[in-house]
Amino acid sequence: MWNLLKKWNTLRNQILFVFLTVMVIVLSIVTTITLSQVSLLIKGNAEDQIRQTALEASGRIDSLFEQLNTATKFIITNPRIQDIFTRKYKGEQIPFSDLQSLYNAVNNIQANTEGIYSVELYTESLEQLLPLNDTNKLFNRINVKWINEADYAKGKLVWIGEDPKNRNYYLAIRRINLMDKSFENAGYLLIQVYKNYFSITKMKNSKQYTFVLDEKLDPIYSNYPGKISPVSFKNKSTTVINNTEYMVTKQISKDGFTVLILTPVTALTEGLNGISIGIIVSGFIGILIFFICSWFLSNMITRPITNLTNTMRLANEGLLAINPNEPTVNEINELNSTYNQLARETNHLIKMVYQKEIIRSYSELKALQAQINPHFLYNTLDSLRWSLEYKGEEELANIVVSMSNLFRYTISKNTNDDWVTLSEEFNHIENYLEIIKFRFADRIKWKLLLPTELKNIKIPKLLIQPLVENAVIHGSGNQLNQCTITVSVQKIKRTDFVRITVKDDGAGMDEEKLQDVKNALNNGEITGKGMALSNVKKRLYFYYKEELEKKFTIRSRKNEGTMVTIEVPIHRGDF
């Protein structure tokens, strides 16, 4: 099994596998997103169409109700009817012939109106005027609350609902106002409406069901074949009937009627299966085409590399390598002819020069340390310090202490590969500046800014002090005015680097001289007074290499001072 896997573990097969894997992933994502978007689009269009249907149905209900409202308004505003109700309002007796004319006026209007089965007229005292052969009281006909509703509506048509005396009809009522008597209440108009008047759909065989509810949420129309209470799903977005899930679309008309449309969820995605099959088939065809193209491409890429590998094997055996003589891309030809040998020789030379430079620098440092006997120097300086204190020379004694600490820090070996903490380096800088102050007196001042949380970060030994020394010599040494040297450390936000800045407000450099210094640093040509900067930059490269590319900067202005900034990474778990 392992040998079989090893045999198939070739660059060509890897390229082919990666290409196919990426293609399958991309097609899967595209197919999933496409199907999802198409499904949402189809569902969205279907839902929009259903909402439009519900809106149109709601408008149809309002239109039908408005026809009833208009017809009843014609009745109660008929001059003949207004005259008879005015006389009745005044308490006059109405002759039978006048009542018959009242019946004729109502019948003329009713005959030109759809939906109204019968019209009943009642006086303010709830006595029946029409039909003529009936003497019922209005409160015996309907509940008193509807009379109060009609009074509250002040002449508007009030929907009552199913007729309690005859369930084949609906009832509506409105108050009769006398136009010549400041719209005083003179009686009531009660109409019977056919139940099929609100039939707003003809789709008897459709799986989509429509319900119309009045303000009391009583159904006044439904094309559902069985019995169901639409109130149970009025405030739901979906409902389940006979194990079928339906989407509920609700629309309320301006007259208070509610239209509910139930649509099977499966009907919203009709045609999606065909689209899904088409997309999947297209995906498989795309994978097949991509496989064929990837096969040829992988062969074109790997065949020259395979030939080159065979040639390199011959070279390892000591035979003269012969370049494969076959057409291929320029890059492979160049790699085949020169790169391998050139890379070996170049890397070999670089390694030799680099090691030679490290050995030379290390030898020079060891030679310098060997020239000084540390214990002799420490004991001598310690004796000198006590002698000065005995004579009362406190200032000179302090200088000797600073010198002793400075030499101890400089020439003593460190147990951690010449790495020290920022706190130790800053103490060394403090000792150095104390000694320098003895020479420059009040002409030099300094500020050392090291946050507590950064004290334990480790850096190469004697990395900052040469920059301070450079600032003292070139900043304060070239002028008689007071010079302030500032050494600060801060952590760079959202990185693992700290920024170390050495700044002075001394003589500075003009732009031309600054550019010369930068060019010399880049070319490694600095000598004399610029050696401090050059040595610091070389040590940065020695310890950090490519991590510090463009992390060593110098800024200066004439008579304003110089600022040197280095950025070093936080190493060895010191933060």
Side-chain angles (χ1 to χ4, degrees):
M1 183 66 180
W2 173 252
N3 292 332
L4 182 61
L5 291 176
K6 188 175 181 180
K7 179 181 178 181
W8 283 92
N9 186 25
T10 61
L11 180 60
R12 183 188 63 184
N13 292 338
Q14 289 179 359
I15 293 174
L16 188 62
F17 176 76
V18 170
F19 281 4
L20 288 178
T21 301
V22 172
M23 184 62 180
V24 170
I25 293 174
V26 171
L27 284 179
S28 299
I29 295 174
V30 171
T31 300
T32 302
I33 294 175
T34 302
L35 287 177
S36 176
Q37 294 298 318
V38 170
S39 177
L40 291 176
L41 180 62
I42 293 176
K43 287 183 179 179
N45 291 338
E47 290 174 2
D48 290 342
Q49 184 177 2
I50 295 170
R51 277 191 287 269
Q52 183 63 30
T53 302
L55 185 62
E56 292 175 357
S58 173
R60 172 65 176 163
I61 293 295
D62 287 336
S63 175
L64 293 174
F65 188 77
E66 183 61 29
Q67 290 180 19
L68 295 179
N69 182 59
T70 302
T72 54
K73 187 181 293 184
F74 281 151
I75 294 175
I76 65 174
T77 57
N78 183 271
R80 186 60 180 167
I81 295 175
Q82 283 282 315
D83 176 64
I84 291 176
F85 271 89
T86 301
R87 289 158 58 190
K88 192 68 177 178
Y89 178 79
K90 294 178 180 179
E92 299 179 7
Q93 292 292 328
I94 307 299
F96 184 78
S97 59
D98 290 345
L99 293 177
Q100 283 184 322
S101 65
L102 177 66
Y103 183 80
N104 293 332
V106 170
N107 283 343
N108 288 335
I109 297 175
Q110 182 181 347
N112 295 312
T113 303
E114 294 182 0
I116 298 179
Y117 171 71
S118 67
V119 177
E120 300 175 19
L121 297 176
Y122 295 85
T123 64
E124 181 187 10
S125 59
L126 308 183
E127 295 178 355
Q128 185 170 339
L129 287 183
L130 196 71
L132 300 176
N133 57 350
D134 204 339
T135 58
N136 284 332
K137 292 285 188 178
L138 181 57
F139 56 80
N140 293 328
R141 185 75 173 86
I142 60 174
N143 195 303
V144 176
K145 72 173 184 178
W146 296 114
I147 302 174
N148 296 331
E149 287 285 341
D151 289 335
Y152 182 78
K154 296 181 180 180
K156 293 182 180 179
L157 185 63
V158 176
W159 181 262
I160 297 177
E162 194 174 71
D163 188 350
K165 303 294 185 180
N166 190 338
R167 297 187 179 276
N168 293 322
Y169 303 98
Y170 295 117
L171 294 179
I173 188 173
R174 72 185 308 163
R175 194 177 77 177
I176 300 175
N177 297 323
L178 298 178
M179 293 184 290
D180 294 337
K181 297 294 182 180
S182 300
F183 295 94
E184 289 290 332
N185 181 15
Y188 300 92
L189 167 71
L190 185 69
I191 61 172
Q192 280 185 311
V193 181
Y194 292 105
K195 268 202 169 181
N196 61 358
Y197 178 68
F198 289 101
S199 298
I200 58 175
T201 177
K202 303 296 183 183
M203 298 181 293
K204 295 182 180 181
N205 298 324
S206 174
K207 294 182 179 180
Q208 188 179 68
Y209 302 120
T210 303
F211 298 86
V212 179
L213 311 180
D214 59 16
E215 290 184 342
K216 304 186 300 297
L217 302 182
D218 292 331
I220 62 175
Y221 170 75
S222 170
N223 66 342
Y224 185 72
K227 291 184 178 181
I228 190 172
S229 175
V231 179
S232 61
F233 51 79
K234 174 180 176 292
N235 295 320
K236 298 180 180 179
S237 59
T238 59
T239 187
V240 178
I241 302 175
N242 296 330
N243 298 324
T244 302
E245 186 179 10
Y246 290 85
M247 184 187 74
V248 180
T249 304
K250 181 176 71 173
Q251 181 67 38
I252 300 176
S253 71
K254 66 178 182 180
D255 291 318
F257 294 94
T258 301
V259 176
L260 298 177
I261 297 180
L262 270 60
T263 307
V265 174
T266 55
L268 300 178
T269 56
E270 288 181 353
L272 185 60
N273 291 335
I275 297 176
S276 302
I277 294 174
I279 293 176
I280 294 174
V281 170
S282 300
F284 278 116
I285 294 174
I287 292 176
L288 179 60
I289 295 174
F290 192 79
F291 174 80
I292 296 173
C293 295
S294 300
W295 176 269
F296 285 106
L297 179 61
S298 61
N299 281 331
M300 290 175 60
I301 294 175
T302 58
R303 187 174 59 253
I305 297 177
T306 302
N307 294 336
L308 177 60
T309 303
N310 295 331
T311 302
M312 293 174 64
R313 288 197 183 102
L314 294 176
N316 291 334
E317 295 174 359
L319 300 177
L320 183 62
I322 300 175
N323 297 331
N325 187 16
E326 61 175 302
T328 183
V329 294
N330 293 334
E331 290 82 358
I332 299 296
N333 284 331
E334 184 70 19
L335 175 66
N336 188 49
S337 61
T338 60
Y339 176 79
N340 192 55
Q341 187 64 28
L342 179 62
R344 281 201 188 93
E345 293 179 357
T346 304
N347 290 334
H348 179 67
L349 292 175
I350 292 175
K351 185 176 181 181
M352 289 181 60
V353 173
Y354 185 69
Q355 290 178 345
K356 183 177 179 180
E357 184 67 21
I358 293 176
I359 293 172
R360 187 179 65 82
S361 300
Y362 184 77
S363 299
E364 291 176 355
L365 180 60
K366 290 298 181 180
L368 178 62
Q369 290 179 344
Q371 293 175 3
I372 303 174
N373 189 323
H375 293 289
F376 172 77
L377 181 62
Y378 300 155
N379 293 336
T380 302
L381 291 175
D382 193 52
S383 299
L384 180 60
R385 168 199 172 190
W386 288 110
S387 176
L388 290 172
E389 285 188 354
Y390 179 77
K391 295 179 181 181
E393 298 289 343
E394 294 291 339
E395 183 178 1
L396 291 176
N398 291 334
I399 296 299
V400 171
V401 171
S402 297
M403 290 182 63
S404 177
N405 291 335
L406 185 144
F407 282 119
R408 188 184 301 273
Y409 181 84
T410 302
I411 66 178
S412 63
K413 294 183 179 180
N414 195 290
T415 59
N416 197 19
D417 297 330
D418 290 333
W419 288 75
V420 297
T421 64
L422 282 172
S423 177
E424 292 171 336
E425 185 78 358
F426 267 62
N427 288 336
H428 175 63
I429 295 171
E430 181 80 26
N431 291 325
Y432 170 76
L433 291 173
E434 289 289 347
I435 297 172
I436 291 299
K437 184 178 180 182
F438 181 74
R439 171 186 171 188
F440 289 90
D442 292 336
R443 286 171 52 200
I444 187 168
K445 292 185 179 298
W446 63 85
K447 296 179 183 178
L448 303 180
L449 306 176
L450 176 61
T452 303
E453 64 272 14
L454 303 180
K455 286 185 177 181
N456 293 326
I457 293 179
K458 291 187 177 182
I459 62 172
K461 186 177 181 180
L462 296 174
L463 183 66
I464 307 177
Q465 188 268 338
L467 300 178
V468 177
E469 182 178 354
N470 198 70
V472 171
I473 295 174
H474 299 289
S476 178
N478 293 336
Q479 65 175 14
L480 297 177
N481 297 329
Q482 187 183 79
C483 177
T484 300
I485 298 174
T486 303
V487 184
S488 63
V489 180
Q490 62 180 354
K491 187 176 184 300
I492 303 175
K493 293 182 179 179
R494 295 186 292 277
T495 68
D496 291 330
F497 281 76
V498 292
R499 182 182 290 114
I500 302 172
T501 303
V502 178
K503 180 181 178 182
D504 67 77
D505 57 359
M509 297 177 284
D510 56 28
E511 187 65 29
E512 182 179 357
K513 185 176 181 181
L514 176 61
Q515 192 60 44
D516 291 340
V517 171
K518 289 182 178 180
N519 293 336
L521 274 175
N522 293 331
N523 299 327
E525 299 174 353
I526 281 189
T527 58
K529 293 182 180 180
M531 285 298 295
L533 295 176
S534 178
N535 288 337
V536 169
K537 189 171 183 181
K538 287 181 179 180
R539 293 189 69 213
L540 285 173
Y541 180 78
F542 176 75
Y543 285 105
Y544 299 106
K545 297 181 176 60
E546 66 277 357
E547 291 181 354
L548 283 183
E549 186 179 1
K550 299 182 180 179
K551 301 293 184 181
F552 183 93
T553 58
I554 305 175
R555 296 182 178 88
S556 183
R557 287 190 177 182
K558 187 69 174 178
N559 298 325
E560 293 185 13
T562 302
M563 181 174 69
V564 179
T565 301
I566 59 176
E567 297 178 6
V568 298
I570 301 172
H571 281 298
R572 307 190 179 192
D574 301 320
F575 187 71

